[in-house]
Amino acid sequence: MTSPPLRAAVIGAGPAGFYTCEHLLKEGFEVDLFDALPTPFGLVRTGVAPDHPKLKTVTRVYEKTAARPGFRFFGGVVLGEDVTREELLERYHALVYAVGTADDNRLGIEGEDRPGSHSATEFVAWYNGHPDYADREFDLSTDRAIVIGNGNVAIDVARMLVLDPDEISVTDTADHAIDALMRASVEHVTLLGRRGPAQAAFTNPEVRELGELKRADVVVEPAEVELDELSARWLEEDAEPTARRNVEMLRAYARRTAEAPPSKSHRIELKFLRSPLEVIGDGADGPVSALRVVRNRIEADADGRLRAVSTGEQEILRCGLVMRSIGYRGRPLPGVPFDERRGLIRNAGGRVTAEDGEPVRGEYVAGWIKRGPSGVIGTNKKDAADTVARVLEDAAASRVNEPSEPDAEAVEHWLRARVPGLVTWAAWQSIDEHEMALGEPQGRPRVKLVSVPEMIAIAERGAPAAR
Ligand code: NAP
């Protein structure tokens, strides 16, 4: 007699969640994929820049996973509010948290919360139509913005601020953001790095793409790309090809800046070796009018890591908008061990661990909440495979959880009773078709719905409970 399949709940329907489902399904598990939103795909829907439609085609891979026998999607279920971890442990042999890193890092400087000073997290979620951020307001009536940070999110934000109406109108940017961005007065965006061009976290295609914008020139003053001795040696001897190529491209932008004045109406300027000290504005809570920064130099710390050290020399950079894009951290889940210092669920190679380092039976992690917010979408495939390998080892050794109520049908009944707006995969497909149909006449991939009640109404109209 064969034993019934093991059942897993994967929490978070972004790339890490879907790759985890794929690996588990291939190994014969039944998998229920949960998300707090009615929509799947996590940051592919609410993070990837709308002018990068090719990156979003990865959802076709996830749709194939969703078509596998044994897969179910339950959208609109908030862990810790609608259902608890303990209730899931009563129903599944394994829980895999793939919830990403929802919170942004803070600068911890004076004036950070003034009107006009925002986190990239909020801005990105807003222009991508995340329902929780759809009614945020960004005053884009200034001509100058500063984006703090030298990662790909900072580049995305800078680009979105200067996209030409022709470039933005063919994307799935949320309608409210298209309206606001088309009316924006921002003409000059400064990307500000605390270390030098050699240490920027950009990847090469993103740096190249800056030079291909319709109405914005890239401005890099030649002095900005002159490398100090330590960085030059590091680049020569130790750096990855990505850093070398970044510096080459930034030097090419600097040559262009030196040879001819910018000719387009908008600019993205890159400045390095500056740390923000204060977001300046009138009085205690007046809107942003400038950023006070300090110039840095590069020094090696005891481990040889090149870090920014203040020179004490300060500058005031005029601007009416500040976006900090300095990385993310995870948000603790009720009852799940959390490493406050790293901002991640405490884990060893994907197994959730208690404070004493011992694995917690039946609980696992995958993606950014496991390893931190790094890498590209595909990085999560191997990451998820590693976690699933741990689940399989534990299953083989009878070390997974032993649920008291594992029946799949009973789980669905329980969820329907608990969550009135529960969105199944069929229901999501109705939302998906509806959005694409709205986009088609406008030559856009989709028009995103940004209100949860509207999504649920469309889902219920297209996908009655029986489907
Ligand atoms: P990131 O790549 O880690 O970059 C964070 C940046 O913030 C770094 O330049 C860091 O500088 C800087 N920073 C941190 N603390 C700071 C502080 N207190 N003051 C000033 N600067 C500070 O993070 P991200 O841009 O959020 O991206 C997250 C991940 O998503 C990355 O792996 C990224 O490649 C990926 N992503 C990919 C794409 C794409 O493929 N197109 C698009 C978006 C995001 P230091 O280096 O000095 O710490």
Side-chain angles (χ1 to χ4, degrees):
M1 203 181 86
T2 55
S3 47
L6 294 177
R7 297 180 29 74
V10 176
I11 323 296
F18 266 99
Y19 292 126
T20 302
C21 290
E22 175 69 16
H23 294 301
L24 286 168
L25 290 161
K26 267 193 196 151
E27 297 295 338
F29 273 72
E30 287 181 358
V31 185
D32 290 346
L33 176 62
F34 290 82
D35 203 282
L37 287 179
T39 52
F41 308 139
L43 283 182
V44 177
R45 181 175 164 103
T46 63
V48 170
D51 63 335
H52 281 167
K54 268 202 198 133
L55 279 181
K56 295 183 189 237
T57 58
V58 70
T59 55
R60 290 192 204 129
V61 174
Y62 307 150
E63 283 162 357
K64 283 194 184 141
T65 298
R68 279 183 179 273
F71 174 92
R72 298 190 300 186
F73 174 66
F74 294 121
V77 185
V78 181
L79 179 63
E81 286 179 25
D82 298 312
V83 298
T84 65
R85 156 190 174 269
E86 291 73 18
E87 287 170 328
L88 293 180
L89 283 168
E90 285 164 12
R91 291 165 172 85
Y92 297 93
H93 298 89
L95 307 187
V96 185
Y97 305 109
V99 292
T101 46
D103 290 340
D104 50 278
N105 288 330
R106 288 181 59 85
L107 290 161
I109 61 173
E110 213 177 303
E112 192 169 3
D113 294 316
R114 281 184 185 284
S117 170
H118 307 276
S119 71
T121 317
E122 289 169 75
F123 187 61
V124 169
W126 170 77
Y127 66 60
N128 273 318
H130 189 302
D132 295 350
Y133 295 83
D135 57 7
R136 295 289 162 104
E137 285 189 10
F138 294 89
D139 182 349
L140 305 175
S141 62
T142 177
D143 63 334
R144 280 184 172 255
I146 296 181
V147 183
I148 299 166
N150 268 182
N152 284 336
V153 172
I155 288 205
D156 281 349
V157 167
R159 226 180 38 252
M160 287 301 290
L161 283 168
V162 297
L163 278 191
D164 186 85
D166 287 350
E167 289 167 316
I168 200 168
S169 61
V170 294
T171 68
D172 67 1
T173 306
D175 280 350
H176 57 249
I178 295 188
D179 285 350
L181 288 165
M182 281 196 179
R183 283 187 281 107
S185 310
V186 178
E187 288 176 353
H188 190 124
V189 180
T190 303
L191 269 169
L192 200 72
R194 67 173 165 184
R195 295 193 288 160
Q199 291 86 27
F202 308 137
T203 47
N204 299 155
E206 282 61 34
V207 176
R208 187 175 318 115
E209 220 183 359
L210 281 178
E212 295 163 1
L213 290 167
K214 197 165 172 184
R215 68 173 182 181
D217 279 310
V218 183
V219 174
V220 184
E221 293 302 334
E224 299 288 335
V225 288
E226 275 169 25
L227 295 188
D228 60 282
E229 224 173 273
L230 283 173
S231 297
R233 195 172 341 126
W234 175 79
L235 201 66
E236 185 74 24
E237 294 172 6
D238 302 318
E240 297 288 328
T242 299
R244 290 205 193 111
R245 185 76 193 110
N246 275 348
V247 171
E248 277 168 24
M249 284 189 282
L250 292 166
R251 283 182 174 148
Y253 288 136
R255 279 196 296 278
R256 231 178 286 164
T257 302
E259 280 161 13
S263 56
K264 297 178 184 170
S265 56
H266 292 62
R267 269 148 231 205
I268 293 181
E269 179 172 18
L270 290 101
K271 285 183 185 286
F272 298 97
L273 291 171
R274 289 168 178 86
S275 285
L277 293 179
E278 182 190 354
V279 181
I280 298 173
D282 268 351
D285 52 10
V288 175
S289 60
L291 187 69
R292 189 158 61 82
V293 302
V294 65
R295 301 289 295 251
N296 295 327
R297 62 169 183 274
I298 295 292
E299 275 186 13
D301 65 14
D303 304 328
R305 187 177 182 271
L306 300 183
R307 63 192 180 104
V309 176
S310 164
T311 64
E313 185 193 335
Q314 296 191 10
E315 277 176 7
I316 306 280
L317 305 176
R318 182 179 72 79
C319 63
L321 183 67
V322 169
M323 302 271 184
R324 63 175 185 279
S325 177
I326 57 167
Y328 303 97
R329 55 184 283 116
R331 199 178 284 170
L333 294 170
V336 182
F338 194 74
D339 179 340
E340 274 298 338
R341 193 183 57 80
R342 299 186 64 206
L344 306 174
I345 291 179
R346 192 190 301 276
N347 77 96
R351 285 187 181 101
V352 174
T353 51
E355 210 149 322
D356 60 7
E358 283 302 305
V360 178
R361 202 176 175 101
E363 288 178 87
Y364 305 85
V365 273
W368 281 8
I369 195 65
K370 165 187 174 186
R371 66 171 199 277
S374 65
V376 292
I377 293 170
T379 313
N380 295 298
K381 199 169 176 178
K382 161 90 171 53
D383 178 294
D386 289 344
T387 292
V388 171
R390 304 290 84 76
V391 180
L392 296 176
E393 283 167 14
D394 291 350
S398 302
R399 280 197 310 251
V400 285
N401 181 48
E402 282 163 24
S404 52
E405 302 170 48
D407 182 71
E409 254 181 66
V411 168
E412 183 163 351
H413 285 305
W414 167 68
L415 282 171
R416 285 198 182 280
R418 187 62 74 80
V419 185
L422 190 71
V423 174
T424 60
W425 190 255
W428 150 248
Q429 285 174 314
S430 298
I431 298 172
D432 192 29
E433 281 162 23
H434 179 82
E435 289 188 339
M436 289 192 293
L438 290 177
E440 218 255 349
Q442 301 178 34
R444 298 166 63 191
R446 68 181 61 242
V447 173
K448 282 183 180 166
L449 302 183
V450 300
S451 130
V452 169
E454 196 183 349
M455 288 179 194
I456 290 170
I458 297 293
E460 282 171 356
R461 207 186 317 146
R467 269 179 72 186

